[in-house]
Amino acid sequence: MAARSMKARRLYSSLQTVPSSPTLCCSPFRHFASAATSDPPSAPDNPPDSFRDRLDAGPALADFLTSHSSSSSSSIEHAMLPENIPGVRTALVGPKGKQREITRLPEWLKTPMPIGENYRKIKNDLRGLNLHTVCEEARCPNISDCWGGSSKSSATATIMLMGDTCTRGCRFCSVKTSRTPPPLDPHEPEHTAEALSRWGLGYVVLTSVDRDDLPDGGASHFAQTIRKIKLKAPSILVEALTGDFGGDLGQVEVLARSGLDVYAHNLETVEALTPQVRDRRATFQQSLAVLRHAKAINSSLVTKTSLMLGLGEEEAQVLETLEALRQTGVDVVTFGQYMRPTKRHMKVAEYVTPAEFEGWRRRALDMGFLYVASGPLVRSSYKAGEAFVENVLKKRRAGIDVNKDGRSMMGEVRAPDVERG
């Protein structure tokens, strides 16, 4: 009833309005077309009484499509186009007629495809002993550089212990995840030690997936592997890049007393972004506690962490993080560009330029860190950083005091000129 009365009012309103243009008069008698000779009566006093009326009185679609936009909004839209962002280019890919536009990486983030005899040899050794590497599982962009050296002894491969499936799901990481990963391989410690003794390496990095399904988080398995390596090749320096063991500092102590030389645990990002970047079980303060406890248990250890840039962090937040690391006693820090592994992972907020990375390296060194590796392609396992720390540790073994700048009475310990690793 209400709808019919509203329609009746609109019909009455239209009949009372006489248009000012030529029209046909509405009458029961026949008339010819004629122009109105008198002023039309005023429109009804009542305002539009329905949403449709207000919609009809509003702007049309054409009004939104006009090109009369303000110069400020045009300049903003122009600046946001991919081709106008420094270092970012676009390209069309796909068959003709079905092409789509993609954003290409900046030139400084491009690396060669992994090829070469040495790369194949290392890969075959790893598969033959059923070993995994974080280089492959995390899709590291530096695998061709690290594995493609002139000899196995000059190569760097970060062995990933306890399988290839993690119990956590960080938004930046491409390693497989599961609540119930396969059981541990009891032969893995022996196989790892055997592979590394074959290669004749001077420095090795061990890491692992998180195993929250195990009572000790896998700490005893990790420690056993380190002891096996030291037994087969006592001269090898071992860096262990561990998880946080769910905050169980007793398991941190198991690793710190296992005979390793470098205890590494990654903060990954600043505290404000940690809940969005890392698994909910990993917290910023918990990670600081791991690094602090490792140093307290074994003061001779070199402690190390890594930060990704390009996740949306602010300059002040990075500085606060570096200050917290120095207060914790961390010796080595690395900075690298976050690179999105797949479309299911976090988007890159910013591609940080090499010049900005160099600025962070200098600022961190000024704060007192023993060594800083900083660059777009730097990762936790950084070949130049490993060589530097190796030299520092060897000098310490020889009883030579090395200060925070890496210099000693017998000369300077210098990081080799390697851009990435």
Side-chain angles (χ1 to χ4, degrees), residues 143-210:
I143 192 169
S144 61
D145 187 42
C146 291
W147 289 22
S150 58
S151 66
K152 287 185 181 180
S153 61
S154 65
T156 299
T158 301
I159 304 296
M160 189 165 72
L161 304 176
M162 299 189 278
D164 62 352
T165 306
C166 187
T167 54
R168 297 189 184 182
C170 297
R171 294 186 63 202
F172 64 88
C173 183
S174 65
V175 175
K176 292 185 293 186
T177 62
S178 172
R179 291 182 180 177
T180 55
L184 298 180
D185 177 5
H187 303 294
E188 185 176 55
E190 182 68 29
H191 287 170
T192 302
E194 178 62 28
L196 296 175
S197 63
R198 285 183 192 178
W199 295 344
L201 300 175
Y203 191 104
V204 64
V205 181
L206 303 176
T207 188
S208 74
V209 291
D210 281 295

Side-chain angles (χ1 to χ4, degrees), residues 20 25 62 66 72 80 99 114 128 132 137 228 240 247 253 268 347 356 383 406 416 421:
S20 58
C25 297
T66 56
S72 59
M80 290 300 292
Q99 290 183 322
H132 304 278
E137 301 300 331
K228 290 278 188 182
E253 185 171 346
E268 308 295 3
K347 292 183 179 181
E356 290 175 282
K383 198 155 63 175

Side-chain angles (χ1 to χ4, degrees), residues 52-61 63-64:
R52 186 181 295 276
D53 292 331
R54 294 194 298 273
L55 190 64
D56 291 340
L61 176 63
D63 296 324
F64 292 100

Side-chain angles (χ1 to χ4, degrees), residues 295-306:
K295 194 73 153 180
I297 292 298
N298 187 350
S299 60
S300 65
L301 285 176
V302 172
T303 50
K304 174 182 173 183
T305 195
S306 182

Side-chain angles (χ1 to χ4, degrees), residues 12-296:
Y12 174 77
S13 175
S14 63
L15 290 174
Q16 292 297 316
T17 304
V18 179
S20 58
S21 58
T23 184
L24 290 174
C25 297
C26 298
S27 168
F29 303 101
R30 184 181 178 193
H31 290 276
F32 295 100
S34 62
T37 57
S38 60
D39 294 334
S42 59
D45 294 333
N46 295 332
D49 52 7
S50 73
F51 173 75
R52 186 181 295 276
D53 292 331
R54 294 194 298 273
L55 190 64
D56 291 340
L61 176 63
D63 296 324
F64 292 100
L65 301 179
T66 56
S67 58
H68 303 294
S69 57
S70 65
S71 59
S72 59
S73 61
S74 298
S75 61
I76 293 173
E77 292 172 359
H78 180 74
M80 290 300 292
L81 294 174
E83 59 267 27
N84 296 320
I85 300 175
V88 177
R89 297 182 296 113
T90 59
L92 294 176
V93 297
K96 191 173 182 180
K98 296 182 178 180
Q99 290 183 322
R100 57 189 178 87
E101 188 177 71
I102 63 169
T103 300
R104 292 199 178 278
L105 290 175
E107 289 298 325
W108 61 77
L109 289 175
K110 295 192 175 180
T111 57
M113 291 289 289
I115 56 174
E117 184 64 24
N118 198 50
Y119 170 83
R120 287 192 293 271
K121 284 181 180 178
I122 291 177
K123 189 164 187 174
N124 289 338
D125 280 352
L126 292 166
R127 295 295 83 79
L129 293 170
N130 194 31
L131 299 177
H132 304 278
T133 68
V134 75
C135 316
E136 297 171 292
E137 301 300 331
R139 305 184 185 188
C140 181
N142 302 321
I143 192 169
S144 61
D145 187 42
C146 291
W147 289 22
S150 58
S151 66
K152 287 185 181 180
S153 61
S154 65
T156 299
T158 301
I159 304 296
M160 189 165 72
L161 304 176
M162 299 189 278
D164 62 352
T165 306
C166 187
T167 54
R168 297 189 184 182
C170 297
R171 294 186 63 202
F172 64 88
C173 183
S174 65
V175 175
K176 292 185 293 186
T177 62
S178 172
R179 291 182 180 177
T180 55
L184 298 180
D185 177 5
H187 303 294
E188 185 176 55
E190 182 68 29
H191 287 170
T192 302
E194 178 62 28
L196 296 175
S197 63
R198 285 183 192 178
W199 295 344
L201 300 175
Y203 191 104
V204 64
V205 181
L206 303 176
T207 188
S208 74
V209 291
D210 281 295
R211 293 297 301 259
D212 299 291
D213 59 314
L214 302 175
D216 67 347
S220 58
H221 185 90
F222 209 134
Q224 184 185 4
T225 305
I226 295 171
R227 286 192 288 268
K228 290 278 188 182
I229 293 170
K230 291 290 188 176
L231 189 63
K232 283 183 175 289
S235 62
I236 291 183
L237 297 171
V238 178
E239 174 183 326
L241 174 57
T242 78
D244 58 16
F245 302 108
D248 186 347
L249 298 182
Q251 307 310 326
V252 174
E253 185 171 346
V254 170
L255 263 295
R257 297 188 186 279
S258 65
L260 79 168
D261 301 283
V262 178
Y263 196 113
H265 174 67
N266 290 342
L267 286 181
E268 308 295 3
T269 187
V270 299
E271 186 169 15
L273 295 180
T274 296
Q276 291 79 43
V277 174
R278 303 173 70 188
D279 184 274
R280 59 179 176 80
R281 288 162 285 187
T283 70
F284 185 87
Q285 293 300 327
Q286 186 167 277
S287 291
L288 284 181
V290 167
L291 293 163
R292 185 184 301 111
H293 194 68
K295 194 73 153 180

